[in-house]
Amino acid sequence: MIELLQKIVESTPGAKAAILMGFDGISVAQFVAPQDDELDVESMATELSFRFMELRTAAASLEMGSLSDIAIQAEYGTVLVRVLSEEYFVAVLLERTGHFGKGRWVLRSTARALAAQL
Amino acid sequence: MIELLQKIVESTPGAKAAILMGFDGISVAQFVAPQDDELDVESMATELSFRFMELRTAAASLEMGSLSDIAIQAEYGTVLVRVLSEEYFVAVLLERTGHFGKGRWVLRSTARALAAQL
Protein backbone atom coordinates (compact mmCIF):
# COMPACT_ATOMS: atom_id res chain seq x y z
CA MET A 1 0.00 0.00 0.00
CA ILE A 2 2.84 2.39 0.87
CA GLU A 3 4.36 1.56 -2.54
CA LEU A 4 1.18 2.76 -4.25
CA LEU A 5 1.20 6.01 -2.25
CA GLN A 6 4.86 6.49 -3.11
CA LYS A 7 4.03 5.92 -6.78
CA ILE A 8 1.35 8.65 -6.59
CA VAL A 9 3.83 11.14 -5.14
CA GLU A 10 6.65 10.23 -7.52
CA SER A 11 4.41 10.29 -10.61
CA THR A 12 2.94 13.74 -9.88
CA PRO A 13 5.11 16.81 -10.44
CA GLY A 14 5.00 19.00 -7.33
CA ALA A 15 3.49 16.31 -5.06
CA LYS A 16 4.71 16.39 -1.45
CA ALA A 17 2.72 13.60 0.18
CA ALA A 18 -0.07 11.06 -0.28
CA ILE A 19 -2.20 9.55 2.45
CA LEU A 20 -4.88 6.91 2.70
CA MET A 21 -7.29 7.77 5.48
CA GLY A 22 -10.67 6.88 6.89
CA PHE A 23 -13.44 9.49 6.95
CA ASP A 24 -13.13 9.16 10.72
CA GLY A 25 -9.77 10.95 10.42
CA ILE A 26 -7.61 7.91 11.18
CA SER A 27 -4.66 7.41 8.84
CA VAL A 28 -4.13 3.97 7.28
CA ALA A 29 -0.87 4.65 5.44
CA GLN A 30 1.08 7.61 4.12
CA PHE A 31 4.09 8.52 2.06
CA VAL A 32 5.89 11.86 2.34
CA ALA A 33 8.50 12.95 -0.21
CA PRO A 34 12.01 12.89 1.36
CA GLN A 35 12.51 16.65 0.88
CA ASP A 36 9.25 17.35 2.77
CA ASP A 37 9.79 15.03 5.71
CA GLU A 38 8.91 17.69 8.27
CA LEU A 39 5.38 17.82 6.82
CA ASP A 40 2.63 16.63 9.17
CA VAL A 41 0.35 15.31 6.45
CA GLU A 42 -1.62 13.23 8.92
CA SER A 43 -2.83 16.16 11.04
CA MET A 44 -3.63 18.04 7.89
CA ALA A 45 -5.68 15.21 6.38
CA THR A 46 -7.44 14.54 9.68
CA GLU A 47 -8.57 18.15 9.92
CA LEU A 48 -9.79 18.11 6.31
CA SER A 49 -11.49 14.71 6.62
CA PHE A 50 -14.22 16.17 8.82
CA ARG A 51 -14.94 18.84 6.21
CA PHE A 52 -15.01 16.18 3.51
CA MET A 53 -17.60 14.22 5.51
CA GLU A 54 -19.79 17.30 5.66
CA LEU A 55 -19.38 17.93 1.93
CA ARG A 56 -20.32 14.32 1.26
CA THR A 57 -23.46 14.67 3.35
CA ALA A 58 -24.33 17.93 1.60
CA ALA A 59 -23.85 16.39 -1.86
CA ALA A 60 -26.07 13.45 -0.96
CA SER A 61 -28.80 15.74 0.40
CA LEU A 62 -28.61 17.76 -2.83
CA GLU A 63 -29.27 14.61 -4.86
CA MET A 64 -25.83 14.77 -6.42
CA GLY A 65 -25.26 11.13 -5.45
CA SER A 66 -22.00 9.81 -4.04
CA LEU A 67 -19.03 12.12 -3.96
CA SER A 68 -16.07 10.78 -5.92
CA ASP A 69 -13.52 13.62 -5.97
CA ILE A 70 -12.71 16.80 -4.08
CA ALA A 71 -10.03 19.35 -4.94
CA ILE A 72 -9.10 22.43 -2.98
CA GLN A 73 -6.53 24.96 -4.08
CA ALA A 74 -5.10 27.54 -1.75
CA GLU A 75 -2.30 30.07 -1.71
CA TYR A 76 0.36 27.62 -0.53
CA GLY A 77 -0.89 24.25 -1.70
CA THR A 78 -3.45 22.04 -3.37
CA VAL A 79 -5.15 18.95 -1.99
CA LEU A 80 -6.67 16.37 -4.35
CA VAL A 81 -8.93 13.70 -2.90
CA ARG A 82 -10.35 10.53 -4.40
CA VAL A 83 -13.02 8.67 -2.46
CA LEU A 84 -12.26 4.92 -2.37
CA SER A 85 -15.30 3.64 -0.48
CA GLU A 86 -17.91 4.65 2.07
CA GLU A 87 -15.13 4.64 4.64
CA TYR A 88 -11.85 5.59 2.99
CA PHE A 89 -10.27 8.22 0.79
CA VAL A 90 -6.83 8.85 -0.66
CA ALA A 91 -5.42 12.39 -0.78
CA VAL A 92 -2.38 13.90 -2.41
CA LEU A 93 -0.88 17.21 -1.35
CA LEU A 94 0.76 19.32 -4.05
CA GLU A 95 2.75 22.47 -3.79
CA ARG A 96 1.10 25.50 -5.36
CA THR A 97 2.93 24.93 -8.62
CA GLY A 98 2.10 21.21 -8.67
CA HIS A 99 0.52 19.56 -11.68
CA PHE A 100 -3.21 19.47 -10.88
CA GLY A 101 -4.32 17.53 -13.97
CA LYS A 102 -1.61 14.91 -13.69
CA GLY A 103 -2.36 14.50 -9.98
CA ARG A 104 -6.03 13.82 -10.64
CA TRP A 105 -5.15 11.30 -13.32
CA VAL A 106 -2.61 9.48 -11.13
CA LEU A 107 -5.03 9.36 -8.18
CA ARG A 108 -7.77 7.90 -10.33
CA SER A 109 -5.60 5.33 -11.96
CA THR A 110 -4.26 4.17 -8.57
CA ALA A 111 -7.58 4.23 -6.71
CA ARG A 112 -8.72 0.77 -7.75
CA ALA A 113 -5.46 -0.87 -6.67
CA LEU A 114 -5.58 0.94 -3.31
CA ALA A 115 -9.21 0.00 -2.71
CA ALA A 116 -8.34 -3.63 -3.42
CA GLN A 117 -5.90 -3.56 -0.49
CA LEU A 118 -8.41 -2.30 2.06
CA MET B 1 -23.05 40.52 -14.28
CA ILE B 2 -25.72 38.09 -15.55
CA GLU B 3 -24.04 38.32 -18.97
CA LEU B 4 -20.77 37.09 -17.47
CA LEU B 5 -22.51 34.18 -15.75
CA GLN B 6 -24.26 33.34 -19.01
CA LYS B 7 -20.92 33.41 -20.78
CA ILE B 8 -19.49 30.94 -18.24
CA VAL B 9 -22.38 28.53 -18.84
CA GLU B 10 -22.33 28.89 -22.62
CA SER B 11 -18.55 28.54 -22.87
CA THR B 12 -18.38 25.35 -20.79
CA PRO B 13 -19.58 22.09 -22.36
CA GLY B 14 -22.01 20.38 -19.99
CA ALA B 15 -22.56 23.46 -17.78
CA LYS B 16 -26.10 23.82 -16.40
CA ALA B 17 -25.86 26.95 -14.25
CA ALA B 18 -23.54 29.57 -12.81
CA ILE B 19 -24.13 31.60 -9.68
CA LEU B 20 -22.40 34.42 -7.85
CA MET B 21 -23.00 34.13 -4.13
CA GLY B 22 -21.84 35.45 -0.79
CA PHE B 23 -20.25 33.06 1.71
CA ASP B 24 -23.30 33.91 3.82
CA GLY B 25 -25.37 31.88 1.35
CA ILE B 26 -27.14 34.84 -0.25
CA SER B 27 -27.23 34.80 -4.06
CA VAL B 28 -26.16 37.94 -5.94
CA ALA B 29 -26.94 36.78 -9.49
CA GLN B 30 -27.38 33.55 -11.38
CA PHE B 31 -27.83 32.14 -14.85
CA VAL B 32 -29.43 28.76 -15.54
CA ALA B 33 -29.26 27.15 -18.99
CA PRO B 34 -32.72 27.20 -20.66
CA GLN B 35 -32.93 23.38 -20.81
CA ASP B 36 -32.31 23.17 -17.03
CA ASP B 37 -34.73 25.86 -15.91
CA GLU B 38 -36.28 23.64 -13.23
CA LEU B 39 -32.91 23.55 -11.46
CA ASP B 40 -32.82 25.24 -8.04
CA VAL B 41 -29.19 26.31 -8.23
CA GLU B 42 -29.66 28.86 -5.48
CA SER B 43 -30.68 26.35 -2.79
CA MET B 44 -27.89 24.09 -3.91
CA ALA B 45 -25.23 26.81 -3.72
CA THR B 46 -26.55 28.06 -0.39
CA GLU B 47 -26.25 24.60 1.15
CA LEU B 48 -22.72 24.22 -0.22
CA SER B 49 -21.61 27.73 0.77
CA PHE B 50 -21.63 26.78 4.45
CA ARG B 51 -19.36 23.81 3.73
CA PHE B 52 -17.07 26.06 1.69
CA MET B 53 -16.80 28.45 4.64
CA GLU B 54 -15.67 25.58 6.84
CA LEU B 55 -13.15 24.41 4.25
CA ARG B 56 -11.80 27.92 4.02
CA THR B 57 -11.38 28.11 7.78
CA ALA B 58 -9.69 24.68 7.79
CA ALA B 59 -7.29 25.67 5.00
CA ALA B 60 -6.34 28.86 6.84
CA SER B 61 -5.76 26.98 10.11
CA LEU B 62 -3.56 24.50 8.21
CA GLU B 63 -1.38 27.34 6.96
CA MET B 64 -2.44 26.74 3.37
CA GLY B 65 -3.30 30.42 3.05
CA SER B 66 -6.39 31.74 1.26
CA LEU B 67 -8.53 29.25 -0.59
CA SER B 68 -8.87 30.11 -4.28
CA ASP B 69 -10.69 27.12 -5.84
CA ILE B 70 -12.85 24.20 -4.79
CA ALA B 71 -14.10 21.38 -7.00
CA ILE B 72 -16.40 18.55 -6.03
CA GLN B 73 -17.40 15.73 -8.31
CA ALA B 74 -20.27 13.42 -7.54
CA GLU B 75 -22.28 10.74 -9.28
CA TYR B 76 -24.73 13.16 -10.90
CA GLY B 77 -22.82 16.39 -11.17
CA THR B 78 -19.74 18.51 -10.63
CA VAL B 79 -19.47 21.88 -8.89
CA LEU B 80 -16.53 24.18 -9.60
CA VAL B 81 -15.97 27.18 -7.35
CA ARG B 82 -13.71 30.18 -7.70
CA VAL B 83 -13.32 32.48 -4.71
CA LEU B 84 -13.63 36.15 -5.75
CA SER B 85 -13.01 37.88 -2.44
CA GLU B 86 -13.32 37.42 1.30
CA GLU B 87 -17.07 37.61 0.84
CA TYR B 88 -18.02 36.23 -2.57
CA PHE B 89 -17.55 33.21 -4.80
CA VAL B 90 -18.72 32.15 -8.23
CA ALA B 91 -19.78 28.55 -8.86
CA VAL B 92 -20.62 26.61 -12.00
CA LEU B 93 -22.61 23.39 -11.98
CA LEU B 94 -21.76 20.82 -14.63
CA GLU B 95 -23.46 17.60 -15.53
CA ARG B 96 -21.41 14.50 -14.82
CA THR B 97 -20.09 14.47 -18.37
CA GLY B 98 -19.27 18.19 -18.32
CA HIS B 99 -15.84 19.49 -19.25
CA PHE B 100 -14.03 19.96 -15.94
CA GLY B 101 -10.83 21.49 -17.33
CA LYS B 102 -12.63 23.93 -19.60
CA GLY B 103 -14.94 24.92 -16.73
CA ARG B 104 -12.00 25.75 -14.47
CA TRP B 105 -10.38 27.79 -17.19
CA VAL B 106 -13.55 29.74 -18.00
CA LEU B 107 -14.21 30.44 -14.29
CA ARG B 108 -10.69 31.74 -13.79
CA SER B 109 -10.70 33.90 -16.86
CA THR B 110 -14.06 35.45 -15.88
CA ALA B 111 -13.32 35.88 -12.17
CA ARG B 112 -11.56 39.21 -12.47
CA ALA B 113 -14.39 40.79 -14.49
CA LEU B 114 -16.97 39.50 -12.00
CA ALA B 115 -14.99 40.75 -9.01
CA ALA B 116 -14.79 44.17 -10.64
CA GLN B 117 -18.58 44.38 -10.62
CA LEU B 118 -19.00 43.64 -6.92
Side-chain angles (χ1 to χ4, degrees):
Chain A
M1 181 173 289
I2 303 255
E3 293 71 26
L4 288 168
L5 296 172
Q6 180 170 1
K7 190 183 139 201
I8 291 170
V9 172
E10 292 176 351
S11 311
T12 307
K16 299 164 88 161
I19 186 164
L20 198 157
M21 182 170 265
F23 280 104
D24 57 3
I26 313 271
S27 168
V28 178
Q30 54 184 281
F31 177 82
V32 179
Q35 67 274 23
D36 296 295
D37 63 354
E38 82 298 344
L39 189 72
D40 186 359
V41 64
E42 186 167 341
S43 301
M44 209 166 161
T46 297
E47 172 69 24
L48 290 173
S49 68
F50 305 128
R51 313 302 157 200
F52 297 158
M53 273 288 260
E54 288 160 359
L55 266 183
R56 199 161 72 151
T57 308
S61 79
L62 293 169
E63 296 180 352
M64 289 175 70
S66 315
L67 210 61
S68 59
D69 298 85
I70 304 164
I72 61 175
Q73 288 184 272
E75 227 169 332
Y76 307 121
T78 291
V79 179
L80 305 178
V81 175
R82 175 82 181 175
V83 176
L84 299 179
S85 69
E86 276 292 300
E87 287 163 64
Y88 296 100
F89 67 89
V90 55
V92 58
L93 174 68
L94 311 181
E95 48 191 48
R96 179 67 190 164
T97 51
H99 196 316
F100 185 98
K102 182 70 187 290
R104 285 177 78 224
W105 184 84
V106 171
L107 264 195
R108 286 180 174 212
S109 58
T110 319
R112 190 186 296 263
L114 279 169
Q117 294 186 14
L118 286 171
Chain B
M1 181 173 288
I2 303 256
E3 294 70 27
L4 289 167
L5 296 173
Q6 179 171 0
K7 189 182 139 201
I8 291 170
V9 172
E10 292 176 351
S11 312
T12 308
K16 300 163 88 161
I19 186 164
L20 198 158
M21 182 170 263
F23 279 104
D24 57 2
I26 312 272
S27 167
V28 177
Q30 54 184 282
F31 177 82
V32 179
Q35 67 273 24
D36 296 295
D37 62 355
E38 81 300 343
L39 189 73
D40 186 359
V41 64
E42 186 168 340
S43 301
M44 209 165 162
T46 298
E47 173 68 24
L48 290 172
S49 67
F50 305 129
R51 312 302 158 200
F52 298 158
M53 273 288 261
E54 288 160 359
L55 267 183
R56 199 161 72 150
T57 307
S61 80
L62 292 169
E63 297 179 354
M64 290 175 69
S66 315
L67 211 59
S68 58
D69 298 85
I70 305 164
I72 61 175
Q73 288 184 272
E75 227 169 330
Y76 308 121
T78 291
V79 179
L80 305 178
V81 174
R82 176 83 182 174
V83 175
L84 299 179
S85 70
E86 276 292 300
E87 287 163 63
Y88 296 99
F89 67 88
V90 55
V92 58
L93 174 68
L94 310 181
E95 49 190 47
R96 179 66 189 165
T97 52
H99 197 316
F100 185 97
K102 183 71 188 289
R104 285 178 77 226
W105 185 83
V106 171
L107 264 195
R108 287 180 173 211
S109 57
T110 319
R112 190 185 294 262
L114 279 168
Q117 295 187 13
L118 286 171

